[in-house]
Amino acid sequence: MELSYGEKLTLIKLGDAKRLKFEELVQKTGLDQVAVMRAVLGLKSRGLADLHEKSEKVVVITETGRSYAEVGLPEWRALRLLHEREKATLDDLKEVLSDEELKPIIGLLRKEGWASVRKENGKLVLEITEKGLNATERPIDRALKLLAERGTVPVKEIEKLVPVKELKRRKIGEEETVTERKVEIAPAGEELVRKGIELKEDVSILTPELIRSGKWREVEFRRFDIKAPVRRIYPGKKQPYRAFLDKIRRRLIEMGFIEMTVESMIETQFWNFDALFQPQNHPAREWTDTYRLRYPKSGGLPSENLVERVQTAHERGLAGSRGWGYVWSPDRAMLLMPRAHGTALDARQLAKGVEIPGKYFTIQRVFRPDVLDRTHLIEFNQVDGFVVGEDLNFKNLLGILKRFAVEIAGAKKVKFLPDYYPFTEPSVQMSAYHPELGWVEFGGAGIFREEMTKALGIDVPVIAWGIGIDRLAMFKLGIDDIRYLFSYDLRWLREAKLVW
């Protein structure tokens, strides 16, 4: 039977005493606790030793409890002062009590009947009563004395005197669970010890020094049991959702997309709506569907030529369109707001200039008023993008969206439904099937309208999409509540797998 150095040493020490407390075994072997526990579990798996564990709830004295044991509980300190002076004001009691102790102790003295409380000349005065003069030791005093003597006392023993919740309320003691471990040598282990065990130093790493010196002939190389329980270690890692976003970004760049970036999350309504051919009287621009900035209220507009083309598209139309038929307001277009969708960056990039053919994307935080629930947030991340080229059509768009959902998000079922957006025609909504939530909408897409693209200086088709990447992450990370993506739950943060 092959045993490690730690297992052999532990077995030899157990052979002398038959049964030892775990702490005694640690002391006798001279090994650290983790090494001894590993050795004991290894011996147990081979039937050479047994580990007996017994858990018990105990009360442990606190620092406050130790202080009370030395100077006395606050009520006794107050009572001693009253004993000396017969009556005392609150200022007098501050000589022996802290501000934190003062208020509850007045109520306690009155409840015990040790002092009467009244007002004299506008001041609160306490006067000792007959019962206070003859006050004797109570159960809580005996519990404090017991804790001070022993430090740790079983809950069952303490509760014969006073409820544990009372000690916790007064910060005298805290409830804990302690586990007593005893290790006992098994008959097979005793037999092995009787036959004699040769102790040889064992090593886990074959170093150059061992080879040069020839000492490798004198040592035993440790064998590792990969199934043996060990202390769990949680290494530092990137937040799971952050890691997911970074991988989405990398995958899109690998597919040839160019990333669009912007420093601010605040946008003018011009880029958020007007440049996208969304009329200024559209209900989605009202306060119920978007946020507005209170201060500063307005920003600036881009070049006059661009503003004039967008105004013309809205009032009279472009590319054969009649427009929306209203008087366009530059003041309304200058209003500032937290970005409502990443499509605003599409408009900025198209106006700035693009490669044709070209592919662009952005991952942006956006803001919309909504009711928080398992599938909705008021601020969330969105992946927006577009492809520009001469021969693009609606079928190309559906292919990109399906690839996104299946290959990147891991959705098993995808379906497309007709939809409407002011800046795309035709338009489509994409939903994917979640095993817990059913069909979940997570993206809208379409072909940008010519009234929009021509105003921005683009004369070829542009297919575009906006996808709620938070909902896609729910699929990939295996969660059924979108709020968990931003959770502080350490258990989830530690155990969530890094996925792709």
Side-chain angles (χ1 to χ4, degrees):
M1 187 178 296
E2 293 184 358
L3 300 177
S4 69
Y5 175 82
E7 289 170 339
K8 290 176 182 178
L9 182 59
T10 301
L11 201 57
I12 290 169
K13 298 302 179 184
L14 275 176
D16 297 335
K18 310 299 182 193
R19 186 182 180 100
L20 288 171
K21 288 184 178 179
F22 182 75
E23 294 76 15
E24 294 173 338
L25 190 55
V26 170
Q27 187 177 4
K28 285 181 177 293
T29 59
L31 303 175
D32 62 51
Q33 290 190 8
V34 174
V36 174
M37 180 54 76
R38 189 184 299 120
V40 168
L41 292 174
L43 294 171
K44 183 182 177 183
S45 68
R46 293 176 173 87
L48 302 176
D50 290 311
L51 176 64
H52 305 282
E53 296 182 311
K54 180 183 177 183
S55 295
E56 183 180 34
K57 289 187 176 181
V58 297
V59 179
V60 180
I61 193 169
T62 62
E63 288 300 317
T64 301
R66 291 193 184 281
S67 175
Y68 287 166
E70 290 178 12
V71 301
L73 286 164
E75 57 265 39
W76 288 111
R77 281 180 267 145
L79 198 60
R80 281 197 296 270
L81 185 72
L82 288 173
H83 220 293
E84 293 170 5
R85 306 181 187 181
E86 291 190 2
K87 62 181 182 179
T89 64
L90 293 184
D91 288 335
D92 295 331
L93 288 174
K94 284 182 180 180
E95 295 175 19
V96 294
L97 300 177
S98 67
D99 291 338
E100 189 181 348
E101 295 169 337
L102 190 60
K103 189 174 180 180
I105 291 309
I106 292 171
L108 182 57
L109 292 173
R110 179 190 279 174
K111 180 182 174 183
E112 294 283 355
W114 291 351
S116 60
V117 183
R118 66 177 184 277
K119 276 193 174 182
E120 285 185 9
N121 301 322
K123 289 186 176 182
L124 206 63
V125 175
L126 284 80
E127 185 172 358
I128 195 167
T129 63
E130 186 68 28
K131 190 175 180 182
L133 289 169
N134 299 308
T136 57
E137 188 179 62
R138 303 158 301 161
I140 194 168
D141 301 309
R142 292 193 289 275
L144 176 60
K145 192 180 295 183
L146 191 62
L147 281 170
E149 289 172 359
R150 291 160 55 181
T152 301
V153 180
V155 166
K156 291 179 181 178
E157 192 173 343
I158 279 287
E159 292 215 317
K160 291 177 181 177
L161 298 172
V162 64
V164 171
K165 64 181 181 181
E166 178 65 14
L167 296 175
K168 291 169 70 174
R169 185 185 67 81
R170 298 201 60 181
K171 300 179 182 178
I172 292 171
E174 286 294 336
E175 188 176 352
E176 293 181 5
T177 300
V178 297
T179 302
E180 183 184 63
R181 296 182 177 89
K182 291 185 179 179
V183 185
E184 183 179 12
I185 192 167
E190 288 187 83
E191 180 66 24
L192 201 59
V193 171
R194 275 198 301 271
K195 289 180 179 178
I197 297 176
E198 182 184 1
L199 267 181
K200 262 189 178 183
E201 181 185 358
D202 64 346
V203 295
S204 58
I205 300 174
L206 179 60
T207 64
E209 179 58 33
L210 281 173
I211 296 172
R212 281 195 299 266
S213 65
K215 196 178 177 183
W216 61 271
R217 297 185 183 91
E218 303 168 13
V219 299
E220 288 184 356
F221 290 98
R222 185 180 308 160
R223 291 179 177 272
F224 293 96
D225 181 2
I226 61 172
K227 295 181 180 179
V230 294
R231 184 176 60 183
R232 193 158 190 179
I233 295 174
Y234 297 100
K237 66 177 183 181
K238 195 176 286 186
Q239 199 268 1
Y241 181 45
R242 178 74 261 173
F244 174 77
L245 291 179
D246 288 346
K247 288 179 179 177
I248 291 285
R249 177 179 286 107
R250 188 179 68 193
R251 176 63 70 88
L252 286 168
I253 291 171
E254 289 171 349
M255 290 167 64
F257 282 81
I258 298 170
E259 184 172 13
M260 301 178 287
T261 59
V262 66
E263 293 182 3
S264 174
M265 290 186 287
I266 303 302
E267 196 66 88
T268 59
Q269 288 204 12
F270 178 85
W271 291 115
N272 204 91
F273 295 121
D274 297 272
L276 301 178
F277 196 59
Q278 189 158 339
Q280 292 184 334
N281 58 4
H282 194 285
R285 295 178 70 151
E286 297 304 316
W287 65 270
T288 52
D289 286 291
T290 59
Y291 291 107
R292 293 184 188 174
L293 220 60
R294 181 173 292 177
Y295 179 83
K297 190 174 182 180
S298 298
L301 293 176
S303 68
E304 289 185 13
N305 288 338
L306 176 58
V307 172
E308 187 178 335
R309 291 199 301 271
V310 170
Q311 182 176 358
T312 300
H314 279 253
E315 293 181 346
R316 299 187 298 277
L318 287 175
S321 164
R322 292 181 297 176
W324 298 112
Y326 70 99
V327 178
W328 185 81
S329 167
D331 292 335
R332 179 72 187 267
M334 286 191 288
L335 293 176
L336 290 171
M337 60 182 291
R339 187 179 295 110
H341 51 186
T343 318
L345 266 70
D346 295 357
R348 279 185 175 274
Q349 186 65 50
L350 289 168
K352 189 189 301 181
V354 294
E355 298 175 3
I356 299 176
K359 299 184 285 187
Y360 296 82
F361 84 98
T362 186
I363 301 177
Q364 290 294 328
R365 181 67 63 92
V366 298
F367 305 83
R368 294 182 196 169
D370 215 327
V371 178
L372 287 173
D373 60 24
R374 296 170 72 191
T375 58
H376 294 86
L377 295 169
I378 60 174
E379 57 172 305
F380 53 95
N381 289 294
Q382 200 172 43
V383 173
D384 277 75
F386 65 87
V387 180
V388 55
E390 294 184 359
D391 301 320
L392 293 174
N393 56 42
F394 196 61
K395 189 175 181 180
N396 299 135
L397 175 63
L398 296 183
I400 289 174
L401 292 176
K402 187 170 183 180
R403 184 175 177 186
F404 226 103
V406 175
E407 293 188 21
I408 295 180
K412 303 298 182 187
K413 299 179 185 176
V414 180
K415 68 180 179 182
F416 299 104
L417 299 170
D419 211 334
Y420 167 78
Y421 303 102
F423 38 85
T424 56
E425 180 59 39
S427 305
V428 66
Q429 174 222 110
M430 181 169 64
S431 296
Y433 190 78
H434 188 282
E436 299 292 334
L437 303 172
W439 288 100
V440 177
E441 176 193 349
F442 65 85
I447 300 178
F448 278 147
R449 292 176 63 152
E450 290 188 36
E451 296 97 324
M452 170 193 159
T453 55
K454 287 188 180 297
L456 297 175
I458 304 296
D459 290 323
V460 296
V462 182
I463 59 176
W465 65 88
I467 293 176
I469 199 66
D470 297 358
R471 292 181 181 174
L472 282 180
M474 292 171 65
F475 286 75
K476 202 68 179 178
L477 295 172
I479 60 174
D480 60 4
D481 192 321
I482 199 168
R483 291 165 291 192
Y484 239 76
L485 296 176
F486 308 96
S487 171
Y488 291 100
D489 183 348
L490 278 178
R491 183 189 60 80
W492 182 74
L493 291 172
R494 285 171 170 172
E495 296 178 3
K497 296 178 180 177
L498 298 179
V499 298
W500 184 244

